[in-house]
């Protein structure tokens, strides 16, 4: 993310700290082990959903109060923007971007290319020429509309196959019609339209200890190297970090990964942090403590080697989270994946995030 414009009348010292960091100190934070770098504040943000944003004043208030960065959770996806082939519907994204600008918050764009959340007409595309034409036109329209306003783009999302041993690329519409080149086309088009934007490859499941996850880290590095060899403009890796509460973090594996990314000159950001608590004990306080500890272990592991450009949670309050539908608990209890509880009260996870945001970690 490029430095957001400082908020002149911000009542919130943590935001001022984070914005200052984004403006300069962060450059030092990119040198692993540099003195003082470990303590640079990291901008914090959250993905925002348009429905509660429109209907709940408390939701907007929480976004304003806690976030340096806003990410439209669904409103920049093809499904939201491209109901039909001819027209673009920017209504939801425009509202969220305007809100962020009004609060001097930075915006991350999610996402220009994904194998999911495609409208029916796009799923029905059959030829290479058609797919390339639509992909390029889409990126031109969307990046151009927010040029200079959305500083960072998740250019491609989830292009690495879940088990990349063998074929490394995920089997999507884009891969079927355009082959692995779809990644390159997306990055080059975004860079052409907004040469100042930070362009990120976003993907998930890099943090656990298993041969599969180690292969996913290798696969991400291989892909980044291939792109760099071909002079494709790629600046960052977004790590989604949907952390499974019951699984330990592979600290050594993550740190080796961070060191390798540093060698490649690739910055990182945590883009979709939450804790999947479906297998944790029922007791809410125990779950909240476990989630906070896991987030702390994860952030401490990566930040010791590669300071993230931003830490973004996938939602802010337990009231609204995709985890409820995607990872429901067997006992029927509400999931508690996020830093605020369902009544917008901070949980222990927020203290951990604040440590980074306030420059004390
Ligand atoms: C999810 C949203 O949170 C849901 O509201 C939506 O119904 C489906 O998509 N990885 C991603 C995100 O990159 O875009 C997904 O977001 C969650 C998994």
């Amino acid at each position: 993310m490029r430095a957001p414009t400082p908020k002149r009348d911000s009542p919130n010292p943590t935001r001022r700290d984070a914005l200052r960091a984004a403006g300069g100190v962060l450059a030092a934070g990119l040198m692993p082990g540099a003195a003082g770098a470990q303590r640079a504040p990291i901008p914090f943000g959250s993905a925002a959903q348009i429905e509660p944003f429109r209907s709940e004043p408390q939701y907007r208030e929480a976004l304003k109060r806690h976030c340096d960065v806003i990410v439209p959770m669904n409103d920049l996806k093809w499904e939201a923007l491209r109901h039909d082939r001819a027209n673009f519907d920017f209504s939801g994204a425009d509202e969220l971007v305007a809100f962020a600008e009004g609060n001097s918050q930075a915006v991350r764009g999610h996402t220009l290319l994904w194998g999911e959340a495609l409208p029916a007409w796009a799923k029905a595309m059959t030829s290479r020429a058609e797919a390339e034409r639509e992909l390029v036109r889409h990126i031109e329209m969307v990046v151009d509309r927010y040029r200079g306003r959305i500083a960072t783009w998740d250019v491609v999302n989830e292009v690495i196959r879940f088990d990349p041993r063998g074929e490394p690329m995920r089997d999507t519409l884009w891969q079927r019609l355009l082959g692995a080149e779809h990644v390159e086309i997306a990055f080059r088009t975004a860079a052409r339209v907004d040469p100042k934007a930070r362009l990120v490859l976003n993907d998930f499941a890099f943090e656990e200890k298993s041969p599969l996850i180690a292969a996913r880290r290798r696969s991400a590095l291989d892909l980044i190297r291939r792109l760099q060899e071909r002079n494709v403009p790629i600046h960052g890796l977004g790590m989604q970090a949907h952390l499974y509460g019951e699984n330990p973090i592979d600290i050594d594996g993550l740190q080796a990964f961070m060191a390798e990314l540093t060698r490649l000159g690739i910055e990182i950001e945590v883009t979709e942090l939450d804790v999947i608590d479906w297998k944790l004990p029922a007791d809410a306080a125990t779950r909240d403590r476990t989630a906070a500890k896991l987030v702390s272990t994860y952030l401490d592991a990566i930040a010791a080697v590669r300071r993230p450009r931003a830490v973004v949670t996938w939602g802010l309050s337990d009231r609204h989270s995709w985890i409820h539908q995607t990872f429901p608990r067997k006992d029927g209890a509400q999931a508690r994946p996020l830093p605020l509880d369902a009544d917008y009260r901070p949980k222990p996870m927020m203290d951990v995030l604040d440590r980074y945001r306030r420059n004390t970690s």
Side-chain angles (χ1 to χ4, degrees):
M1 174 183 42
R2 260 180 317 192
T5 328
K7 186 182 167 88
R8 255 164 291 144
D9 57 350
S10 171
N12 186 341
T14 61
R15 180 172 307 163
R16 276 201 301 274
D17 291 347
L19 292 171
R20 206 175 304 126
V25 185
L26 220 59
L30 302 177
M31 288 180 286
Q38 308 303 333
R39 296 175 65 82
I42 299 175
F44 169 75
S46 162
Q49 281 166 277
I50 194 70
E51 300 82 6
F53 175 86
R54 285 180 177 150
S55 62
E56 280 183 55
Q58 262 193 306
Y59 186 89
R60 291 194 295 276
E61 192 42 49
L63 289 174
K64 189 168 160 181
R65 184 187 162 96
H66 293 284
C67 296
D68 311 302
V69 183
I70 299 286
V71 185
M73 183 183 282
N74 294 310
D75 285 275
L76 286 166
K77 292 175 181 171
W78 279 60
E79 198 171 53
L81 294 174
R82 310 291 305 276
H83 307 303
D84 56 66
R85 190 189 292 255
N87 303 297
F88 286 73
D89 175 2
F90 289 108
S91 53
D94 277 357
E95 269 181 67
L96 293 170
V97 172
F99 174 83
E101 287 177 334
N103 296 312
S104 299
Q105 293 159 314
V107 182
R108 299 188 81 256
H110 176 86
T111 171
L112 298 170
L113 180 154
W114 192 23
E116 292 178 40
L118 291 166
W121 68 263
K123 281 191 219 155
M125 292 192 294
T126 50
S127 79
R128 182 185 173 91
E130 184 187 22
E132 181 162 358
R133 191 171 62 241
E134 288 299 339
L135 177 61
V136 168
R137 188 165 89 91
H138 179 88
I139 296 177
E140 284 174 348
M141 282 290 287
V142 179
V143 174
D144 183 57
R145 183 177 187 89
Y146 299 109
R147 184 161 17 133
R149 298 163 70 200
I150 292 188
T152 305
W153 278 102
D154 288 337
V155 177
V156 300
N157 191 38
E158 303 185 349
V159 295
I160 298 167
R161 190 176 282 252
F162 182 58
D163 185 345
R165 294 168 290 190
E167 166 57 48
M169 301 303 291
R170 186 173 277 255
D171 179 26
T172 64
L173 171 92
W174 304 113
Q175 174 70 18
R176 282 195 293 278
L177 293 179
L178 296 170
E181 206 193 330
H182 68 277
V183 176
E184 176 168 345
I185 295 170
F187 274 95
R188 286 199 198 281
T189 307
R192 172 163 56 74
V193 179
D194 188 352
K196 292 195 180 136
R198 289 194 62 244
L199 305 180
V200 170
L201 173 89
N202 196 48
D203 221 308
F204 66 100
F206 295 124
E207 55 275 339
E208 290 175 6
K209 195 172 177 61
S210 76
L212 166 66
I213 300 301
R216 289 184 59 76
R217 292 192 291 254
R218 278 198 305 278
S219 194
L221 293 168
D222 287 347
L223 176 55
I224 290 166
R225 277 192 213 100
R226 281 202 303 278
L227 293 169
Q228 289 182 329
E229 276 160 18
R230 296 176 56 77
N231 289 319
V232 175
I234 170 168
H235 309 115
L237 174 72
M239 302 196 295
Q240 291 188 1
H242 298 294
L243 307 179
Y244 286 83
E246 72 278 16
N247 291 347
I249 302 290
D250 179 1
I251 296 174
D252 292 343
L254 262 183
Q255 293 193 331
F257 187 41
M258 295 300 104
E260 197 51 45
L261 289 163
T262 306
R263 270 192 282 283
L264 295 176
I266 292 291
E267 298 180 272
I268 58 138
E269 45 203 283
V270 177
T271 53
E272 302 185 15
L273 181 63
D274 52 19
V275 174
I276 301 164
D277 65 344
W278 60 348
K279 305 217 169 130
L280 295 181
D283 176 60
T286 308
R287 271 192 280 156
D288 289 352
R289 252 196 329 273
T290 307
K293 181 84 184 47
L294 193 66
V295 167
S296 168
T297 304
Y298 176 76
L299 292 178
D300 289 350
I302 60 177
V305 181
R306 192 75 166 139
R307 200 84 182 160
R309 290 287 301 233
V311 172
V312 171
T313 51
W314 206 239
L316 196 51
S317 147
D318 293 339
R319 195 180 194 89
H320 304 284
S321 166
W322 74 306
I323 301 293
H324 299 308
Q325 289 83 44
T326 316
F327 302 94
R329 288 179 60 85
K330 287 213 180 90
D331 64 8
Q334 268 270 54
R336 304 179 65 86
L338 290 164
L340 302 180
D341 73 11
D343 296 316
Y344 296 95
R345 284 181 306 237
K347 302 191 307 179
M349 192 193 298
M350 193 49 115
D351 298 334
V352 174
L353 296 164
D354 270 346
R355 267 204 282 129
Y356 279 94
R357 194 176 175 215
R358 287 176 196 275
N359 193 18
T360 53
S361 219

